[in-house]
Amino acid sequence: MTDLLYVNGGTPLQGTISVRGAKNFVSKAMVASLLGESASVLRNVPQIRDVGVVSGLLDLHGVNVKYDPDAGILDLDPSNVESAHVADIDAHAGSSRIPILFCGPLLHRLGEAFIPDLGGCRIGDRPIDYHLDILRQFGAVVDKRPNGIHLRAPRRLQGTKISLPYPSVGATEQLLLTAVRAEGITELSGAATEPEIMDLIAVLQKMGAIISVDTDRVIRIEGVDRLEGYNHTALGDRIEAASWASAALATGGDVTIKGATQPEMMTFLNTFRKVGGQFDVQDDGIRFWHPGGDLRPIVLETDVHPGFMTDWQQPLVVALTQATGLSIVHETVYENRFGFTEALRQMGATIQVYKECLGGGDCRFGQRNFHHSAVVSGPTPLAAADIEVPDLRGGFSHLIAALAAKGTSTVRGISLIDRGYESFQDKLVALGADVSRG
Ligand SMILES: CC(=O)N[C@H]1[C@@H](OP(=O)(O)OP(=O)(O)OC[C@H]2O[C@@H](n3ccc(=O)[nH]c3=O)[C@H](O)[C@@H]2O)O[C@H](CO)[C@@H](O)[C@@H]1O
Ligand SMILES: C=C(OP(=O)(O)O)C(=O)O
């Protein structure tokens, strides 16, 4: 089977699908299992590539990983980590961003760690300077190696006071996973507070950690000597849910998403309503639909939580091509997240990208030559095209555009979408889409 999907568009998506645990939480909770002296159980785990990648890494490090994909249950037993054999770790270079989060747990357990080069979506430079600064402040010694980085902890890591220049999700998680077993108290200001981070804090608390989340992005951790395994059910994937909601809107459809939850999606729901979409929060999910008539243009700025999430941006932009008037989208989290609009233009969308900060305040990228603002003019009918998936969310946006377009599109490189969307082809079929694998 080749890595492409034929999408015969023009049919509104209709029906019910489910989302399971969040990609951006499950992988971190899996890493947390390394900190426990006993086994952990994680539930609501989706069958996505990132779970496979982190399972492989944990396995290399001596964690016994058992996954039941139907039940969505992961058993993680770290009792053999000390005797692990990590010679093949290089093979994991470029697979995801998660390896960088192994630093703290491995330093605590083994006193050293080798972290292969990171992968993840190419939507900006994505440096790891905050991560390395944090680790050095705890007392780790960091050496760059040809295929990654090597870290040592000459003595037990020490709690510290850190202020992040930007509320980075990964750096906040790095700090949490390192501070919980460091000696003494750690205080982080400028922390990210995404729901996935709060769920990671819940997991760590179950393991025996002492963490308080104060107002104004301050997190305090009292290090402890020992942590146990956890038993936890992952929060739902709010990015996957918003992606399907955007697909419903762009195709004029009506989709109920079991497992979508209101508190984590409040900001998305407000925006969805402003564009003219309707939703109904139900006991076990949320129904999203296009009520007919014109969609409205909006001015949108992506931001850290509780702002409009950057990962929601790409799918929603496709729906904005169907709104009547000019929408402005200012991407403030990543400097290079509008590459996917090239394919949309090829399909007939009118989207211009700009280096200036449009639509509101200035951001970190304002004077730095990055195309990080977009103006979308609609409505424009979309026509089928031959397109290549550029990254995870950009790829899903291409799928949405192909579903909304007249004619049969060829979407190439769709296996990239498996990284974060469980069984997306089955879900498309369940919603009435006319798709077939090449
Ligand atoms: C696996 C995972 O959970 N990925 C998510 C995580 O990515 P990730 O944790 O990589 O994203 P960050 O929040 O760290 O990145 C935000 C910004 O901080 C910058 N930065 C980050 C670290 C650093 O050391 N130096 C630095 O400059 C980045 O380049 C970016 O401009 O949060 C992002 C923001 O919600 C999401 O888009 C990703 O889906
Ligand atoms: C950017 C994303 O993921 P990652 O950090 O894994 O590349 C994403 O999920 O949209």
Side-chain angles (χ1 to χ4, degrees):
M1 207 159 37
T2 45
D3 190 17
L4 59 81
L5 195 70
Y6 297 114
V7 180
N8 184 15
T11 314
L13 294 185
Q14 307 262 7
T16 299
I17 51 165
S18 298
V19 297
R20 296 203 281 182
K23 155 187 171 284
N24 287 353
F25 163 75
V26 165
S27 45
K28 327 298 173 61
M30 291 172 74
V31 177
S33 73
L34 264 175
L35 288 162
E37 300 298 327
S38 48
S40 293
V41 180
L42 186 58
R43 300 171 198 279
N44 201 25
V45 177
Q47 195 171 15
I48 52 175
R49 182 134 47 89
D50 272 21
V51 168
V53 166
V54 183
S55 297
L57 279 162
L58 287 171
D59 182 64
L60 265 186
H61 283 291
V63 179
N64 187 0
V65 182
K66 285 203 199 96
Y67 180 43
D68 176 343
D70 294 333
I73 298 177
L74 255 179
D75 288 293
L76 303 151
D77 182 354
S79 33
N80 288 323
V81 169
E82 277 71 16
S83 56
H85 178 68
V86 291
D88 296 333
I89 190 90
D90 273 5
H92 288 262
S95 55
S96 94
R97 302 202 67 68
I98 305 305
I100 191 70
L101 297 179
F102 278 66
C103 295
L106 290 178
L107 286 173
H108 286 303
R109 271 197 107 123
L110 308 173
E112 69 168 345
F114 176 75
I115 307 299
D117 285 336
L118 304 186
C121 289
R122 288 190 292 273
I123 46 185
D125 198 26
R126 308 193 77 177
I128 52 166
D129 51 338
Y130 304 164
H131 293 256
L132 301 186
D133 286 350
I134 286 171
L135 291 159
R136 286 192 184 103
Q137 266 193 251
F138 277 104
V141 178
V142 183
D143 292 311
K144 298 244 159 74
R145 294 275 167 87
N147 304 325
I149 50 172
H150 181 259
L151 300 103
R152 280 179 300 121
R155 60 187 190 112
R156 185 172 175 188
L157 298 178
Q158 301 291 303
T160 178
K161 210 168 169 173
I162 294 175
S163 176
L164 280 177
Y166 183 81
S168 152
V169 169
T172 301
E173 293 162 342
Q174 180 74 263
L175 179 125
L176 286 166
L177 291 165
T178 308
V180 284
R181 281 209 40 208
E183 189 173 359
I185 293 179
T186 298
E187 188 180 290
L188 173 67
S189 49
T193 59
E194 268 62 7
E196 292 77 14
I197 294 176
M198 293 303 134
D199 215 21
L200 180 63
I201 290 175
V203 160
L204 293 168
Q205 187 179 50
K206 284 180 177 177
M207 297 177 81
I210 302 172
I211 304 173
S212 61
V213 182
D214 299 340
T215 48
D216 297 334
R217 299 193 176 280
V218 173
I219 299 181
R220 271 170 61 89
I221 301 116
E222 290 179 39
V224 295
D225 292 338
R226 185 184 165 97
L227 294 168
E228 298 300 336
Y230 63 82
N231 187 333
H232 191 77
T233 300
L235 87 169
D237 197 315
R238 65 194 174 115
I239 310 172
E240 187 187 357
S243 302
W244 288 110
S246 298
L249 196 59
T251 61
D254 186 338
V255 175
T256 298
I257 306 168
K258 305 265 184 218
T261 50
Q262 184 182 20
E264 290 77 19
M265 294 189 73
M266 288 244 166
T267 308
F268 179 82
L269 294 174
N270 286 334
T271 303
F272 193 82
R273 180 168 277 159
K274 283 193 215 164
V275 179
Q278 289 193 7
F279 61 86
D280 178 38
V281 178
Q282 303 171 349
D283 287 346
D284 56 353
I286 305 179
R287 175 183 163 213
F288 294 90
W289 73 98
H290 189 313
D294 288 352
L295 295 181
R296 294 184 286 272
I298 49 164
V299 176
L300 181 66
E301 189 162 83
T302 64
D303 206 349
V304 295
H305 188 75
F308 189 93
M309 205 192 173
T310 169
D311 299 352
W312 291 333
Q313 178 262 105
Q314 290 160 297
L316 190 72
V317 162
V318 186
L320 295 180
T321 68
Q322 303 309 306
T324 304
L326 284 187
S327 293
I328 297 174
V329 183
H330 183 201
E331 170 60 61
T332 76
V333 181
Y334 294 112
E335 65 272 31
N336 191 14
R337 208 166 194 177
F338 282 126
F340 76 103
T341 60
E342 180 57 45
L344 302 189
R345 272 190 290 280
Q346 194 190 328
M347 297 174 81
T350 307
I351 304 176
Q352 300 251 39
V353 290
Y354 294 88
K355 292 177 183 167
E356 292 76 19
C357 298
L358 298 183
D362 289 344
C363 77
R364 295 171 295 153
F365 310 132
Q367 308 299 325
R368 297 180 46 209
N369 223 15
F370 297 118
H371 288 104
H372 72 293
S373 294
V375 176
V376 186
S377 172
T380 46
L382 299 176
D386 189 329
I387 47 187
E388 176 88 32
V389 166
D391 57 69
L392 178 58
R393 311 298 165 192
F396 198 84
S397 307
H398 287 184
L399 267 187
I400 300 176
L403 291 162
K406 275 219 160 60
T408 302
S409 295
T410 305
V411 188
R412 296 179 194 278
I414 49 151
S415 57
L416 237 176
I417 297 175
D418 290 330
R419 199 160 85 72
Y421 293 89
E422 182 176 37
S423 310
F424 69 88
Q425 192 178 336
D426 294 345
K427 290 181 188 176
L428 285 169
V429 171
L431 296 175
D434 181 1
V435 295
S436 55
R437 207 82 183 220

